Amino acid sequence: MAMLSNIVSIVENNWLLLLVGQYPNGPLGGIAATLILSVLGIALAFPLSVLFALATLSPWRVLRWPVMGLVYVARGVPLLMIILWVYFLLPILIGANVSGFSTMVVALVIYEAAFLSEVVRAGIQALPRGQMDAARALGHSHLGAMRYVILPQALFNMIPSIISQFVSTIKETTLGYVINVPELTFAAGQINNRLLTQPFEVYFILAIIYFVVCWTLTRLATALESWIAWRRSGAGNTAVLAATHAVAAES
Amino acid sequence: MSNAAAPSAAPMIRFEGVNKFYGDLAALLDINAEVKKGEVVVVCGPSGSGKSTLIRTVNRLEEIHSGAVVFDGQNVHAKLGGSALNKLRSRIGFVFQSFNLFPHLSVLDNVMLSPIKVSGVGKTDARTRAMELLERVGLANKAQSFPAQLSGGQQQRVAIARALAMEPPAMLFDEPTSALDPEMVGEVLAVMRALARDGMTMMCVTHEMSFAREVADRVWFMDAGRILEVAAPGDFFRTPTHPRAQRFLTDLHAR
């Protein structure tokens, strides 16, 4: 019971730090920074991953090989390696200081783009071969077929996987801790350093916060998955598909 | 070359010494044949005889190892730039056994997509034309539906309208009724019959012998990658010359 009241008082005294870090007196941190890092990481990685996937599936070797190499390397090393490489190499390459936050975004984008491109590739390859055949038979180029026929279907089917990847990204932002990015884990570390005597309570709070955010998103992905399965069965095709197409047609 | 030549004499599709192998297996063996303009050719034969492979070489969904397939004077299997091949393909209507409608697009958009994106037709024109074609296959009332909401027969009729939207001089049908429930075969064949009556050049791989008998100008019988017999349907069904064709027809009647 003592532990529970400790937890309550830690939250009462530090909720703002957990939420936004030292903002507005310092850099934005806490849950806000964690979510912004994750959203930026995925949002920037996603278009890149589509390009990577198109390159690995393209008929042209000059495109396919370097991108496949990049994807294999990025998937074959731990994220921490990428973070350290970006942290030490990027400032040399661009000749300027790079904040921990930007370093983290760059590292996440490289890593997530590599993983997502495999998701996109699988999504494209999961479509029946007849779709590509039909598009080509009508005279569409390879890229035209991808753009108007294959990708709109594949990306729609991939929404749940993308959310799962987003959940992974949230968990991966914790590694920003090693280069002092002021995100949620960093905030918890600060609290723990100040209190010194209550590590279990502090890291229990941290675990709960991550769990609630990630579990909610995972549930959302599951719900979307069954909705998409229902849609693919042809049950409720009209409204939303029309909307999806409207978006595709505008692009 | 000359416009004065009788239209029926000019070949629309010509196979010249076509060979294709899967390893040691000959999928197509020394195919020499032609489909004349305005002609309806039905390709039949036992499964695995190479019929589908043959028809798919016409728009180069299948590659060949040697020979040429000439469509309207152009060798489809020559070294072509990508856009030349795309242009050629856009002029060859192709209907698949499994329909292959685009499930994320409405029926109308399925028919409109390629005229707009491939041929550069304006949206309004494409829509008018698509509605005419849907009217023609009897599905104008389904224009706003999605493929998954249609029966197989309806989907295949939309697929025919989609192919016609590119205004191809010839239509290829690869077993267009094989994936359909028996009661839906008739509606698809009716559309194909009407097309033939309007003078469309057609090459159809099909097991529907009644259709062949009634609509075809000539029947090609294939087995083991070869065309064994080419005959008018009346002759083919009454007095097939090749023993393999005789056996095939006997087996068909026994069903």
Side-chain angles (χ1 to χ4, degrees):
Chain A
M1 270 341 259
M3 186 167 163
L4 191 63
S5 65
N6 284 347
I7 287 174
V8 171
S9 74
I10 292 173
V11 173
E12 273 175 353
N13 295 329
N14 298 284
W15 62 271
L16 199 60
L17 184 67
L18 289 168
L19 210 57
V20 296
Q22 285 163 346
Y23 190 82
N25 304 316
L28 184 69
I31 298 173
T34 290
L35 289 179
I36 290 174
L37 270 176
S38 313
V39 169
L40 272 180
I42 283 287
L44 297 175
F46 177 67
L48 205 58
S49 73
V50 173
L51 291 180
F52 283 2
L54 288 178
T56 54
L57 291 172
S58 83
W60 306 289
R61 235 173 284 166
V62 279
L63 267 179
R64 204 162 59 222
W65 286 359
V67 173
M68 278 171 92
L70 181 70
V71 169
Y72 281 133
V73 170
R75 294 184 59 202
V77 300
L79 175 58
L80 186 56
M81 270 332 93
I82 297 180
I83 294 173
L84 293 175
W85 272 92
V86 173
Y87 184 72
F88 291 113
L89 195 62
L90 194 60
I92 297 173
L93 284 180
I94 65 171
N97 278 334
V98 181
S99 72
F101 188 89
S102 308
T103 303
M104 197 57 199
V105 170
V106 172
L108 281 174
V109 168
I110 295 173
Y111 194 68
E112 295 306 327
F115 271 87
L116 272 180
S117 80
E118 293 291 282
V119 172
V120 175
R121 190 172 60 83
I124 289 172
Q125 287 178 324
L127 291 179
R129 179 157 174 73
Q131 290 292 306
M132 188 48 124
D133 280 354
R136 296 310 299 271
L138 285 160
H140 291 273
S141 64
H142 177 79
L143 284 179
M146 281 290 176
R147 177 167 165 197
Y148 302 117
V149 175
I150 304 296
L151 281 179
Q153 298 181 60
L155 296 181
F156 178 75
N157 294 345
M158 270 160 11
I159 295 171
S161 308
I162 292 170
I163 295 180
S164 302
Q165 201 61 38
F166 182 61
V167 171
S168 303
T169 311
I170 291 176
K171 291 184 272 191
E172 281 153 6
T173 56
T174 54
L175 286 173
Y177 188 77
V178 299
I179 54 167
N180 290 331
V181 179
E183 37 72 65
L184 180 59
T185 305
F186 187 83
Q190 282 179 308
I191 297 168
N192 187 46
N193 286 344
R194 188 148 26 84
L195 298 175
L196 286 175
T197 54
Q198 298 170 324
F200 295 113
E201 286 86 343
V202 171
Y203 288 114
F204 181 75
I205 295 168
L206 184 65
I208 287 288
I209 296 174
Y210 278 116
F211 178 79
V212 167
V213 172
C214 294
W215 182 81
T216 311
L217 284 167
T218 306
R219 296 294 308 175
L220 178 66
T222 313
L224 274 172
E225 209 156 348
S226 44
W227 176 72
I228 287 170
W230 172 74
R231 290 295 306 284
R232 251 180 281 169
S233 72
N237 253 320
T238 27
V240 182
L241 265 187
T244 343
H245 169 240
V247 172
E250 293 314 312
S251 65
Chain B
M1 288 296 120
S2 151
N3 286 333
S8 60
M12 180 62 84
I13 305 165
R14 196 168 70 242
F15 299 91
E16 296 173 358
V18 174
N19 288 294
K20 181 182 174 75
F21 304 94
Y22 294 120
D24 284 341
L25 181 83
L28 297 175
L29 212 53
D30 194 32
I31 302 284
N32 287 285
E34 62 181 44
V35 180
K36 296 188 181 69
K37 282 185 181 156
E39 192 180 33
V40 176
V41 165
V42 163
V43 186
C44 64
S47 42
S49 59
K51 310 174 300 265
S52 286
T53 308
L54 179 70
I55 202 168
R56 285 168 63 92
T57 64
V58 178
N59 64 358
R60 207 166 162 176
L61 287 179
E62 293 280 351
E63 297 290 343
I64 60 176
H65 288 106
S66 62
V69 181
V70 179
F71 181 85
D72 204 12
Q74 253 185 301
N75 182 4
V76 181
H77 290 266
K79 251 197 166 330
L80 292 168
S83 60
L85 180 58
N86 296 336
K87 186 143 178 37
L88 203 47
R89 277 175 170 155
S90 74
R91 301 184 57 236
I92 305 173
F94 201 101
V95 175
F96 296 86
Q97 177 177 354
S98 50
F99 330 134
N100 295 345
L101 291 182
F102 305 136
H104 61 301
L105 300 181
S106 71
V107 163
L108 183 63
D109 286 332
N110 262 277
V111 182
M112 284 169 60
L113 177 74
S114 306
I116 293 173
K117 302 297 182 191
V118 176
S119 318
V121 176
K123 261 197 181 147
T124 339
D125 291 348
R127 179 184 301 269
T128 316
R129 175 88 182 114
M131 284 311 296
E132 280 168 20
L133 287 167
L134 287 174
E135 190 78 52
R136 190 156 151 201
V137 299
L139 289 169
N141 60 332
K142 297 284 186 192
Q144 301 306 329
S145 302
F146 279 82
Q149 297 168 308
L150 305 185
S151 71
Q154 290 171 330
Q155 289 191 48
Q156 193 61 298
R157 281 145 69 198
V158 173
I160 294 173
R162 180 177 71 175
L164 287 173
M166 298 303 285
E167 312 196 328
M171 290 280 288
L172 313 180
F173 295 84
D174 185 7
E175 303 207 24
T177 57
S178 300
L180 296 176
D181 292 336
E183 72 266 26
M184 291 170 188
V185 171
E187 60 190 78
V188 173
L189 291 182
V191 170
M192 290 169 64
R193 231 175 253 127
L195 265 178
R197 207 166 15 199
D198 293 346
M200 177 63 81
T201 307
M202 292 165 65
M203 179 173 169
C204 317
V205 172
T206 181
H207 295 293
E208 294 297 328
M209 289 305 130
S210 62
F211 175 81
R213 207 184 301 256
E214 187 190 334
V215 180
D217 297 305
R218 280 190 302 164
V219 175
W220 299 357
F221 175 75
M222 286 187 74
D223 189 37
R226 293 173 187 274
I227 296 182
L228 297 181
E229 187 160 350
V230 173
D235 300 334
F236 178 74
F237 289 111
R238 224 174 311 117
T239 52
T241 50
H242 200 283
R244 185 65 191 88
Q246 291 166 359
R247 191 144 43 89
F248 175 72
L249 287 172
T250 316
D251 290 349
L252 266 188
H253 288 309
R255 279 200 312 191

